[in-house]
Amino acid sequence: MEKKKTATEEIEEVLQEIGQKIEELIEKGKEAGSDVKEEIEKKIKDLKENKTSLEEELKKAKDLLKKEYEEKKEEIEPRLKESKGFVVEGLRQLGLAFKSLFGKSKS
C-alpha cells in the first residue's frame, strides 16, 4: 500500500527537483555556446528565485502549522488532563469491581 505524502513532503520533493534541474542547467551551460549559455543562465536565475520563494513559503507554512498546533495544544491540554483523571478513576473502579467479583466467587 502506498503511503500518502503530506503537503510539506510534496513541496520539499518539488524543491529538490528544482535544485536538480538547476544543477543540470549549470552543467549544460558549461557545454553550450554563448547564445544558449545566456538563455540557460537566465533560466537558472529564474529557477533559483522561484526556489527561494518556494522555500520561504514552505517555512511560513511550517511556522503557521506549528503555531496552530501550540494554540490547540494549550486549549485542549486541560481537558486532556481532566479526562485522564476520569480514565484512571474508571480503571480503578473496574479493578475494584473485578476484585469484588472474583473475591465473592472464591468464598
Side-chain angles (χ1 to χ4, degrees):
M1 192 157 87
E2 188 174 317
K3 179 186 169 193
K4 278 194 162 189
K5 294 180 183 177
T6 64
T8 303
E9 290 172 333
E10 288 179 10
I11 292 171
E12 287 174 344
E13 189 175 288
V14 168
L15 289 173
Q16 288 176 350
E17 288 175 13
I18 290 173
Q20 290 172 349
K21 295 293 182 188
I22 290 171
E23 293 302 317
E24 287 175 18
L25 285 172
I26 290 171
E27 290 303 313
K28 287 181 182 179
K30 290 177 184 176
E31 300 167 0
S34 63
D35 291 340
V36 177
K37 197 172 190 174
E38 287 177 24
E39 185 177 331
I40 290 174
E41 286 175 358
K42 183 185 180 315
K43 285 185 180 185
I44 290 170
K45 181 183 173 195
D46 291 344
L47 284 171
K48 284 182 178 179
E49 288 173 3
N50 188 24
K51 183 180 179 190
T52 301
S53 62
L54 285 173
E55 288 171 335
E56 290 170 1
E57 289 298 318
L58 177 62
K59 184 182 179 320
K60 286 178 189 177
K62 282 183 174 180
D63 291 343
L64 179 63
L65 287 173
K66 184 177 179 180
K67 180 182 174 187
E68 287 180 18
Y69 169 77
E70 291 298 323
E71 288 173 359
K72 295 293 180 186
K73 180 181 171 187
E74 290 174 10
E75 180 182 310
I76 294 172
E77 198 165 297
R79 288 187 268 168
L80 287 176
K81 286 182 181 179
E82 182 180 0
S83 296
K84 180 181 175 185
F86 292 140
V87 169
V88 169
E89 179 60 23
L91 290 173
R92 190 179 74 75
Q93 291 294 326
L94 188 59
L96 290 174
F98 280 121
K99 190 174 187 180
S100 175
L101 179 66
F102 291 117
K104 287 184 180 179
S105 66
K106 288 183 179 179
S107 304

